[in-house]
Amino acid sequence: MDYLYTEYYLVVDLATGEAEEVELEEEFVQENVGGAKLNMALYEEHKDGEPIVLGTGPFTSTLVPGGCLGVITAKSPVTGDVAHAPITWNAGAELKLSGYSFVVIKNKADNPTYLWLHDEIADFVDASALWGKDVWETVDVIRDEQGEDRIQLLSIGKAGENKLSTAQVMNNYWGDGDRFGFGALFGEKNLKAVAVRGMGELDIDDAEAFIEKTEELLGKVKSALPGQSGLDAIDFADIPDDAKAALKSQLHRVEADFNNPFAYKFFLKYREDPSVMKSTDVEEPGVLISDPMGLAALLKAGVPADAVGEVFEKAFKLGLNPAAVASKLSGKDKDAALAELDSLAESSEAEKFEATFSPFAPSSDRMEAAYIAGICPVLASKVEALNAEMFAELMSIGTGMDFDADAFKM
Amino acid sequence: MDSIARSQKIGIYIGMGASYSWIWFVKTFDALGFHNVYFIDENDVCEGVLLHFDCFILPGGDPFQVAEGLETDGLAAIRRFVEEGGTYIGVCAGTYLSIIFHDDPLPWLNFEKVPVNNFSLDPPEAIRMKYKYLVSYQDGYVYHPVRGPLRVTDGTISFSAPLYGGPPMIAPREYIMLEYEGFEDKTLYLIEEDKAFETMIGYAAGIHIPVGAGQLYLFGPHCEHPQYPQANNYLNDVLARITPQSDGPGRTATDILHGEKKKRFLTSVKRELSSARIIASGMTDLRWKIGEKIWEDEKITYFLTETWKTIKQLQKHECLPVKDPSTLISMARRIHVLLSDIRTLSKEGRDTNTEAAELIDLTKLLSKGLFDCYFNYKRRSWMPDGKDCGRDYSGGKCLCMHTVR
């Protein structure tokens, strides 16, 4: 594929330790567009290998507002069906720029392994020494091993190693939108992590027109988000009145995904004064709330607002999905909740639910198109202009091929 | 001038003391269609290879180290090359090395007395980049008033070219080709602007000096910098004046890699180079003094990035005429290891000059190996039979008489 995507996608067989580069054909993109839809086509093609498919949309890593999204597609141990979870922040963008817009991970490795994708190179790295390490240690070790702090990691902690449906695929140190227990699938495959660093480039067919259109779209996106960020992403209905005030008192900063005008992630500091902006000697001053809806679930379950930061931190280290274990923490104070997390990482089961797309973002009729296009679903839920018609127009400009709005439906 | 007419055989010095700016020549020569390009180090010069060339380029770098590397024999070989009809192009360090600008000059090439206006016993105060604005020479200092783009003129046209330490020269009118005409918005002043003006403007930026049967073209600014197309055109015109007289396109002894072997070789180099450039991209504010030259981490990144781009081009070629592929893979691996060590040591606050010196040498050699491969491929169409060795290599030999592996 000449435009918006890399030339190849990758098919990894963990059982044989082989990685095959496959040309991403124009016809395949014409038919399946990208993101969740193209992932689904690859899933079907490689179904026998019980694949986990990591993919990107056509606009991932581009200037299209919200173009940060990667998608994990696999059969969920929670729903029993194939489902799609978001990869937000920088990992989706870096995945595409690592040289592979899509990665199919098949079968099971004999020994713990991590996959290191960089500049069209796929390396299988022994992860035996990492097995048993928590997520934060894993991130530090791999970044140190490969020599760069901007390496993006999708990894699992103890919960994933224990193949629990409450396990989450983590995004660097923090949680992400995996509510489908895909962390357990990583564990099943002996896959400790996928590390990516993207330093590649993308081509655009009519670059000038594409940029002009994205600038026009950015104007619409900004006007739809007047002054919103951080805590504004949370629906505080059904949450105790004092929770917002308690969170505000710990709020340090907001953070945005790659090229996302909506900074819905926020950092809570509870081990030092949150007004301190400069770097200090406190090694782990707090936690990034990368999943505001997961936080809302904890608050609704009755976890005290001044304890959610530390609960999140511990869940993230263990690779547990906070939303999946929220009900188990109901009514517990901080110490009891933290202690409970240790046992939940040994044994727990997520409550079943039905969904194709992760309930990480508020539901909207634009969710499906966003997952295909590679646009942050949280942003898409807020901005009507980020719709299938707009995506089809942009994709036609960017690729020189014809797409209509129906292409952005599953 | 069509591509085949650009057949001047050009040797670029990349040996001891050469900075990374020789890569600018590579990029620009490629864009201009000069593909009969070879990379030469101090040993090659001493062995007399220059006699096979039309033009020898001594690019930017550290003239002290270049002279040290070439030693008496190398310097004599260059002098002989020019006197016997060769063309010497010096830029920045290559210019300082070739002129006499002091009453008691160091034993460099010293072709001709050409004073420079940035030598002083009492140089002006630096207002920025104190660590690299001054180089001591005998009883005084060569100082660098500005860095970055400035205007130069040949009297009829005026264009922008970047300066990174090159001299403002005081030369007889008949030698002068280019003069410093003025500064630009992006000119970076290392001393006060008025003093920089006094030092630079109106002085020679490029000179042409006949020597014996040969000639010198000496420049302060880097007309070869690929981001300055007008300056590149000027350089093109200079090269066009050189009549090709050497023994035609060279046949570097190489292996030809095809198919899976080509892929395996490139993947092996890519793997290490990718890891290296990833580590390098995360480095900030590292600086090394090697000889008299200050090297910043971004220069390493630049080297690696340009080498990376070459690999991407080589991937598109149907075959690779490459000299000693296993050595290139080992170099790439060592570069990766050295960068990893530098990262670890610098985090611990330890000195990394030794590692950096080895890294710079190896990066240069790896780049050379890959650029050699690139130009070898480009030159194939010049072979007498005009056949493409990638398409016909039966019987263990391609039509270019390379051994097929």
Side-chain angles (χ1 to χ4, degrees):
Chain A
M1 185 66 190
D2 291 335
Y3 302 113
L4 296 180
Y5 283 120
T6 54
E7 198 175 348
Y8 298 101
Y9 67 91
L10 192 70
V11 179
V12 172
D13 188 334
L14 290 172
T16 61
E18 287 173 1
E20 184 193 3
E21 284 184 341
V22 183
E23 193 173 343
L24 185 58
E25 305 275 1
E26 273 193 7
E27 296 73 24
F28 193 54
V29 173
Q30 182 79 67
E31 196 176 337
N32 299 293
V33 186
K37 191 171 177 179
L38 202 146
N39 273 11
M40 193 68 197
L42 290 173
Y43 178 89
E44 289 297 333
E45 192 179 326
H46 298 278
K47 206 171 181 175
D48 291 348
E50 298 180 346
I52 298 169
V53 184
L54 308 178
T56 59
F59 307 136
T60 311
S61 276
T62 70
L63 292 175
V64 177
C68 66
L69 193 71
V71 182
I72 310 179
T73 299
K75 187 173 177 183
S76 164
V78 178
T79 66
D81 289 320
V82 179
H84 312 281
I87 306 169
T88 66
W89 218 10
N90 295 309
E94 294 259 355
L95 172 66
K96 186 186 269 186
L97 297 179
S98 76
Y100 301 115
S101 300
F102 301 88
V103 181
V104 181
I105 304 168
K106 301 195 299 185
N107 300 322
K108 177 183 174 178
D110 289 339
N111 298 302
T113 298
Y114 78 83
L115 204 56
W116 168 217
L117 308 176
H118 56 112
D119 285 331
E120 299 165 354
I121 299 284
D123 287 329
F124 297 79
V125 187
D126 179 18
S128 303
L130 290 170
W131 208 256
K133 286 200 185 300
D134 76 31
V135 169
W136 290 20
E137 290 169 324
T138 300
V139 172
D140 288 342
V141 169
I142 293 178
R143 283 181 172 172
D144 199 45
E145 202 164 277
Q146 301 304 342
E148 228 275 88
D149 292 340
R150 284 171 294 185
I151 288 169
Q152 302 298 306
L153 281 133
L154 304 176
S155 72
I156 57 169
K158 190 184 271 186
E161 291 175 9
N162 289 333
K163 306 171 186 62
L164 304 179
S165 58
T166 50
Q168 190 172 53
V169 173
M170 310 300 290
N171 186 331
N172 297 327
Y173 299 109
W174 323 114
D176 207 338
D178 169 20
R179 301 288 175 76
F180 294 118
F182 291 155
L185 303 186
F186 269 50
E188 294 276 3
K189 289 181 178 299
N190 261 336
L191 181 64
K192 180 68 177 173
V194 177
V196 297
R197 179 75 174 101
M199 296 176 70
E201 292 169 356
L202 296 174
D203 287 328
I204 297 169
D205 182 40
D206 187 344
E208 208 171 308
F210 189 83
I211 289 168
E212 201 175 304
K213 195 74 194 168
T214 56
E215 281 175 351
E216 180 192 320
L217 183 56
L218 181 61
K220 289 179 185 172
V221 170
K222 282 184 172 172
S223 61
L225 295 166
Q228 289 189 47
S229 66
L231 297 178
D232 301 319
I234 299 175
D235 176 5
F236 276 93
D238 302 328
I239 292 175
D241 290 341
D242 58 351
K244 191 169 187 178
L247 290 175
K248 261 189 172 171
S249 72
Q250 296 182 5
L251 185 65
H252 176 253
R253 65 179 188 272
V254 296
E255 292 234 359
D257 302 319
F258 171 86
N259 197 27
N260 190 345
F262 184 32
Y264 64 89
K265 293 172 160 68
F266 52 91
F267 197 90
L268 298 181
K269 267 192 179 179
Y270 37 80
R271 294 203 183 94
E272 70 173 3
D273 179 355
S275 66
V276 174
M277 285 295 158
K278 63 181 182 187
S279 182
T280 67
D281 290 336
V282 178
E283 268 192 31
E284 294 174 358
V287 70
L288 183 79
I289 304 296
S290 45
D291 174 6
M293 288 187 66
L295 178 125
L298 282 189
L299 294 172
K300 282 176 192 167
V303 175
D306 59 359
V308 289
E310 284 178 75
V311 169
F312 255 75
E313 178 186 325
K314 184 145 193 188
F316 286 170
K317 286 180 175 173
L318 294 165
L320 275 169
N321 170 9
V325 297
S327 63
K328 311 284 195 306
L329 306 176
S330 181
K332 290 190 163 54
D333 64 17
K334 185 171 78 180
D335 290 341
L338 293 174
E340 181 66 14
L341 286 171
D342 279 322
S343 51
L344 289 169
E346 295 293 341
S347 170
S348 56
E349 195 174 338
E351 198 176 318
K352 303 282 181 198
F353 64 90
E354 285 184 13
T356 302
F357 298 101
S358 175
F360 159 79
S363 181
S364 84
D365 57 4
R366 295 178 296 280
M367 172 98 77
E368 189 172 280
Y371 266 87
I372 296 171
I375 299 296
C376 172
V378 178
L379 180 71
S381 73
K382 293 254 176 194
V383 182
E384 283 185 18
L386 292 166
N387 56 47
E389 286 75 18
M390 172 61 78
F391 296 153
E393 190 180 346
L394 271 167
M395 181 124 183
S396 301
I397 296 169
T399 60
M401 295 153 64
D402 287 331
F403 291 90
D404 60 23
D406 284 345
F408 288 84
K409 290 178 183 158
M410 293 294 281
Chain B
M1 204 165 45
D2 64 14
S3 181
I4 195 74
R6 291 173 163 86
S7 57
Q8 290 88 343
K9 194 168 178 182
I10 300 168
I12 302 176
Y13 179 78
I14 62 153
M16 187 171 167
S19 178
Y20 69 108
S21 64
W22 61 270
I23 288 186
W24 298 340
F25 274 107
V26 174
K27 311 284 293 177
T28 298
F29 283 167
D30 184 34
L32 294 173
F34 291 95
H35 293 139
N36 206 10
V37 174
Y38 301 80
F39 305 100
I40 292 172
D41 65 16
E42 57 273 22
N43 297 321
D44 298 323
V45 173
C46 291
E47 284 167 16
V49 298
L50 290 186
L51 298 176
H52 301 286
F53 286 85
D54 297 309
C55 174
F56 174 59
I57 292 177
L58 219 153
D62 174 357
F64 296 89
Q65 278 214 310
V66 175
E68 190 186 328
L70 287 167
E71 298 185 54
T72 312
D73 286 355
L75 293 166
I78 295 172
R79 278 192 218 101
R80 191 163 62 248
F81 162 71
V82 177
E83 279 156 9
E84 291 181 6
T87 297
Y88 173 101
I89 296 180
V91 177
C92 197
T95 293
Y96 286 111
L97 195 79
S98 60
I99 57 177
I100 299 166
F101 58 91
H102 192 277
D103 291 339
D104 180 22
L106 292 171
W108 293 354
L109 285 168
N110 300 343
F111 279 111
E112 181 98 6
K113 186 168 185 182
V114 180
V116 297
N117 204 37
N118 60 333
F119 176 82
S120 172
L121 302 180
D122 182 22
E125 282 285 305
I127 57 171
R128 57 169 62 87
M129 297 179 87
K130 283 186 181 170
Y131 63 94
K132 69 189 305 178
Y133 101 108
L134 198 65
V135 178
S136 107
Y137 184 93
Q138 299 293 58
D139 55 348
Y141 300 91
V142 171
Y143 63 95
H144 308 316
V146 296
R147 286 176 69 82
L150 37 64
R151 305 294 301 174
V152 293
T153 180
D154 68 354
T156 51
I157 57 158
S158 162
F159 58 86
S160 178
L163 190 76
Y164 299 108
M169 295 173 279
I170 303 165
R173 177 52 52 191
E174 65 269 24
Y175 288 175
I176 297 176
M177 302 166 67
L178 288 174
E179 281 182 357
Y180 295 103
E181 187 183 36
F183 297 132
E184 299 186 356
D185 291 347
K186 288 187 176 172
T187 306
L188 189 69
Y189 298 97
L190 306 195
I191 62 173
E192 295 295 343
E193 184 177 348
D194 55 341
K195 286 182 184 146
F197 191 94
E198 279 171 26
T199 310
M200 303 294 301
I201 304 306
Y203 291 95
I207 58 176
H208 173 234
I209 308 176
V211 174
Q215 57 188 339
L216 311 175
Y217 287 102
L218 306 176
F219 297 97
H222 290 265
C223 291
E224 78 281 11
H225 194 298
Q227 285 173 11
Y228 295 81
Q230 282 184 293
N232 298 164
N233 286 339
Y234 187 82
L235 182 65
N236 185 51
D237 291 344
V238 168
L239 286 162
R241 294 176 208 162
I242 304 169
T243 309
Q245 289 179 336
S246 66
D247 47 3
R251 295 188 180 199
T252 313
T254 56
D255 297 325
I256 302 284
L257 304 184
H258 299 85
E260 268 305 304
K261 282 180 181 165
K262 175 197 140 187
K263 191 177 173 187
R264 272 204 303 275
F265 164 69
L266 284 179
T267 302
S268 300
V269 177
K270 265 177 76 176
R271 170 172 286 112
E272 303 299 338
L273 202 55
S274 163
S275 298
R277 79 184 192 124
I278 285 169
I279 297 171
S281 75
M283 289 179 170
T284 48
D285 298 333
L286 289 183
R287 198 180 289 158
W288 305 279
K289 187 171 184 194
I290 294 166
E292 289 300 317
K293 187 91 181 163
I294 303 292
W295 284 75
E296 295 91 351
D297 50 48
E298 59 259 39
K299 286 181 180 166
I300 303 291
T301 307
Y302 180 81
F303 247 129
L304 295 173
T305 303
E306 291 307 319
T307 311
W308 179 257
K309 286 181 189 167
T310 308
I311 289 187
K312 300 289 282 181
Q313 287 182 311
L314 295 178
Q315 279 183 303
K316 293 175 190 159
H317 294 176
E318 57 208 277
C319 68
L320 289 185
V322 58
K323 194 176 177 183
D324 205 353
S326 58
T327 301
L328 293 182
I329 294 169
S330 302
M331 280 181 196
R333 193 167 296 137
R334 181 70 185 147
I335 287 168
H336 176 190
V337 169
L338 282 166
L339 272 160
S340 193
D341 289 350
I342 287 172
R343 180 178 183 267
T344 307
L345 291 169
S346 52
K347 269 188 170 180
E348 293 166 1
R350 291 162 64 186
D351 179 70
T352 56
N353 240 48
T354 309
E355 289 76 11
E358 187 185 351
L359 174 69
I360 289 162
D361 275 349
L362 278 178
T363 313
K364 202 187 286 182
L365 288 173
L366 179 65
S367 311
K368 171 198 180 301
L370 295 171
F371 287 133
D372 263 340
C373 184
Y374 177 79
F375 284 120
N376 268 338
Y377 182 88
K378 288 280 180 183
R379 282 193 294 269
R380 289 172 321 141
S381 61
W382 294 8
M383 294 302 165
D385 46 30
K387 296 285 176 63
D388 184 332
C389 67
R391 293 193 205 107
D392 187 347
Y393 51 97
S394 54
K397 296 274 185 187
C398 70
L399 292 175
C400 302
M401 305 305 287
H402 296 118
T403 302
V404 176
R405 295 181 66 179

